[in-house]
Amino acid sequence: MAKNILVLEGTALWAKVFEPDCKWNPLGDYSINLQMPVADSVEMSEKLDQIVQAKFKEAIEEDPRLKNTLTTQDVCQVVYDRDTGDDTGNVEFKFKLKSKVQKRDGSYYEQQPAVLDAKKVPINSDTLIGNGSKVKVAFEPVPYVLAATKKVGVSLRLKAVQVIDLVEYGNNASSVFDEEDGFVSNNSAPTEELADGIDF
C-alpha cells in the first residue's frame, strides 16, 4: 500500500535537513518547523485531526477502560509573540525524521529527507536554509498512542523539503553592506576563480 504523503507550505524555522541533530537523540534527527497563518492551516489541521480521532477511536475499541483517561494532542501549536505574549495569528507544525532506525534484528538503516530547489533539483548540502525561507514540506502522518502520558496524537514524519524562496542562514547581517573600494583581505579570491568550473 502506498504511504499517505501530504504536503504543506509555509515559512521555515530551525531547519536541520542536511545534518541530523543529536542533542536529544544520540542517533540523530532531521527536523524542520513550519509556520503559517491560521487561515492557511485549516484544511491540513482538519485532515490531521481526523487521523488523530480515528486512532483515538481505535484505542478505545481495543481497551474501553481508556475512554475516561485518554486525551488528544494538538496537531499544531499557536504561535505567540515572544515580547508581548500576544497571539500572532500563526500556527506552527513540527516535522521530524530519525536518521538511524533500529530493525528487529538489531541492525540499523539510515534515512534522510530529500531537499530540492523550486525546479525539483537536489540542493547542495552547503546551502543552509535560514529562518524565513518559503518552503514546501512533504511528510507522512503517523498516528500514535503514548501509554505513559495517555495522549493520542500524530507524528509528522519528514520526507522531503522543497525550497521555494531561500533565506540563507548566516548571510542576513552582511547583506546590508554594499561593495566598496578599499581594503581587500588576503583570503579573498577573484570572482573568476570562485566561479571556475561552474557552468552558469
Side-chain angles (χ1 to χ4, degrees):
M1 180 182 295
K3 291 182 178 179
N4 181 25
I5 303 298
L6 303 176
V7 177
L8 198 55
E9 183 175 343
T11 301
L13 286 175
W14 317 120
K16 298 179 181 69
V17 293
F18 291 115
E19 292 291 336
D21 182 2
C22 298
K23 184 175 182 180
W24 306 111
N25 175 14
L27 297 179
D29 292 316
Y30 297 100
S31 62
I32 188 170
N33 294 356
L34 205 63
Q35 287 190 5
M36 68 203 64
V38 173
D40 295 344
S41 73
V42 173
E43 184 177 349
M44 183 61 73
S45 294
E46 290 178 348
K47 185 175 295 186
L48 294 174
D49 191 55
Q50 288 173 3
I51 293 173
V52 172
Q53 294 302 325
K55 188 66 175 179
F56 182 89
K57 182 179 178 181
E58 178 185 303
I60 298 300
E61 289 175 349
E62 291 178 356
D63 187 353
R65 295 173 299 177
L66 295 174
K67 184 174 183 179
N68 296 322
T69 58
L70 278 185
T71 57
T72 57
Q73 185 77 40
D74 292 336
V75 299
C76 60
Q77 290 77 47
V78 175
V79 179
Y80 296 97
D81 186 280
R82 289 185 177 182
D83 297 323
T84 65
D86 294 336
D87 186 338
T88 63
N90 292 335
V91 293
E92 183 170 300
F93 293 84
K94 297 181 178 182
F95 307 87
K96 188 178 289 187
L97 180 70
K98 293 180 180 179
S99 64
K100 292 183 179 179
V101 180
Q102 188 172 21
K103 298 189 290 187
R104 292 182 179 179
D105 63 5
S107 63
Y108 290 86
Y109 69 87
E110 297 186 9
Q111 56 184 356
Q112 65 183 81
V115 186
L116 313 171
D117 66 15
K119 302 298 183 183
K120 300 200 294 186
V121 175
I123 294 176
N124 189 296
S125 60
D126 291 338
T127 302
L128 300 180
I129 303 171
N131 293 347
S133 297
K134 182 180 178 182
V135 303
K136 288 184 177 181
V137 176
F139 65 98
E140 178 190 1
V142 181
Y144 63 82
V145 177
L146 287 180
T149 60
K150 298 293 190 294
K151 289 283 188 180
V152 182
V154 60
S155 297
L156 310 182
R157 187 173 294 168
L158 177 62
K159 292 297 183 181
V161 175
Q162 183 182 25
V163 180
I164 308 301
D165 187 9
L166 177 66
V167 175
E168 194 163 359
Y169 177 79
N171 285 347
N172 294 341
S174 61
S175 65
V176 301
F177 296 118
D178 293 324
E179 188 173 320
E180 301 282 357
D181 291 329
F183 171 74
V184 177
S185 168
N186 290 333
N187 294 328
S188 299
T191 303
E192 292 80 3
E193 182 180 332
L194 289 173
D196 186 38
I198 299 176
D199 184 17
F200 290 105

